[in-house]
Amino acid sequence: MENEREVLVEVNHLNVTYGSGKKAYEAVQDANFKIYKGETFGLVGESGSGKTTIGRAILRILPTSGGEILYKGQKINGRISRQLDRQIIKEIQMIFQDPQSSLNERAKVSYIVGEGLQNVRPDLSTAQQEEKVRQALLDVGLLPEFASRFPQRIGIARALIVEPEFIVADEPISALDMSIRAQVLNLLRRLQKERGITYLFIAHDLSVMRYISDRIAVIHKGRIVELAGAEEVTAH
């Protein structure tokens, strides 16, 4: 029953505007949806449709110009308390499309994966942090010595290490070879089952969406034009 399920994220009448005055461009207009705890909610649309903008607004990377974003019932867009901000940094993480560009090429893998821990868990000793990094790499199927060869999995390990409840995955497999795509999707599903992670999965490919998502919202020119179960949307 939908109404008995716990709502983790709620987006109400969300607007995001780039620029101001005559140059203002409404990238997202009046977006509404709920994401239930433990599900994968797909947001699909062509390039420039506003899907990444929504993901970044939820992560507080982009400011909103109207509406509200609720996480566990608390408004998280606009000005929030430091305590809530800290909670969000720990509980909401992002997996980027191109891990190469978001990873520091010269940094050691242990630093890249463990970077978030230093902010969220400063109480851990160096040895405890190293153990968590090792475990995060194993969780994504990497022996630590192979880490440098699998940047996408490093991106996932980096998101997982702070034990988030909600992950925004923005086109996480579009830059990958076909052979690795299924592995990464299966990895995300396995981690979801084991940890009860909730995903907002952003992509432009409906076949990927159908495979990974429980429900899908279709966005076109900044507006959500359809929202239904994955099978129903892909059947159209």
Side-chain angles (χ1 to χ4, degrees):
M1 295 288 287
E2 301 255 303
N3 52 1
E4 286 174 11
R5 299 177 66 186
E6 184 185 336
V7 175
L8 190 69
V9 176
E10 193 169 347
V11 171
N12 296 322
H13 305 292
L14 183 68
N15 293 303
V16 182
T17 308
Y18 292 116
S20 59
K22 285 184 177 172
K23 289 187 175 166
Y25 164 65
E26 286 197 322
V28 177
Q29 301 154 52
D30 198 35
N32 294 282
F33 58 85
K34 291 175 181 168
I35 303 177
Y36 296 109
K37 188 167 171 54
E39 81 168 333
T40 298
F41 184 88
L43 190 56
V44 68
E46 60 208 13
S47 187
S49 60
K51 57 189 189 298
T52 292
T53 299
I54 289 179
R56 298 192 166 201
I58 291 172
L59 284 149
R60 296 177 54 76
I61 296 170
L62 288 176
T64 58
S65 52
E68 57 179 17
I69 301 166
L70 303 178
Y71 174 69
K72 294 184 176 176
Q74 287 184 287
K75 184 173 183 281
I76 61 167
N77 56 321
R79 293 191 66 163
I80 59 171
S81 68
R82 277 189 64 181
Q83 186 184 354
L84 183 56
D85 190 47
R86 277 209 295 269
Q87 180 188 347
I88 290 162
I89 288 168
K90 181 181 187 318
E91 295 183 14
I92 303 180
Q93 286 289 316
M94 185 168 199
I95 301 170
F96 293 93
Q97 172 177 2
D98 179 12
Q100 296 283 17
S101 65
S102 65
L103 300 176
N104 178 341
E105 287 293 321
R106 287 190 292 278
K108 283 184 170 173
V109 166
S110 56
Y111 173 76
I112 291 167
V113 173
E115 193 177 11
L117 262 191
Q118 290 159 16
N119 304 327
V120 177
R121 294 291 308 276
D123 55 305
L124 295 179
S125 69
T126 306
Q128 287 170 317
Q129 287 193 2
E130 283 172 3
E131 176 54 31
K132 276 197 172 288
V133 168
R134 197 184 70 84
Q135 190 55 52
L137 290 171
L138 292 174
D139 285 340
V140 298
L142 288 184
L143 294 168
E145 59 267 29
F146 291 127
S148 59
R149 296 186 2 218
F150 299 94
Q152 189 63 47
R153 292 194 188 192
I154 295 168
I156 298 171
R158 183 189 195 182
L160 286 173
I161 196 164
V162 296
E163 296 171 12
E165 294 191 30
F166 180 56
I167 291 179
V168 176
D170 186 6
E171 297 268 13
I173 62 165
S174 60
L176 301 179
D177 296 347
M178 284 309 233
S179 58
I180 302 175
R181 283 184 178 195
Q183 288 179 28
V184 172
L185 287 176
N186 288 332
L187 169 63
L188 291 171
R189 287 178 80 162
R190 176 173 67 78
L191 292 165
Q192 182 175 44
K193 281 200 183 82
E194 288 173 3
R195 303 187 178 194
I197 297 170
T198 306
Y199 294 118
L200 169 60
F201 198 96
I202 298 168
H204 62 272
D205 184 340
L206 258 179
S207 61
V208 168
M209 279 299 188
R210 182 180 181 178
Y211 180 73
I212 193 96
S213 303
D214 298 295
R215 291 182 305 135
I216 296 173
V218 180
I219 186 167
H220 178 66
K221 293 184 177 171
R223 290 189 177 274
I224 290 177
V225 292
E226 191 174 355
L227 200 172
E231 291 295 324
E232 204 178 321
V233 171
T234 49
H236 284 251

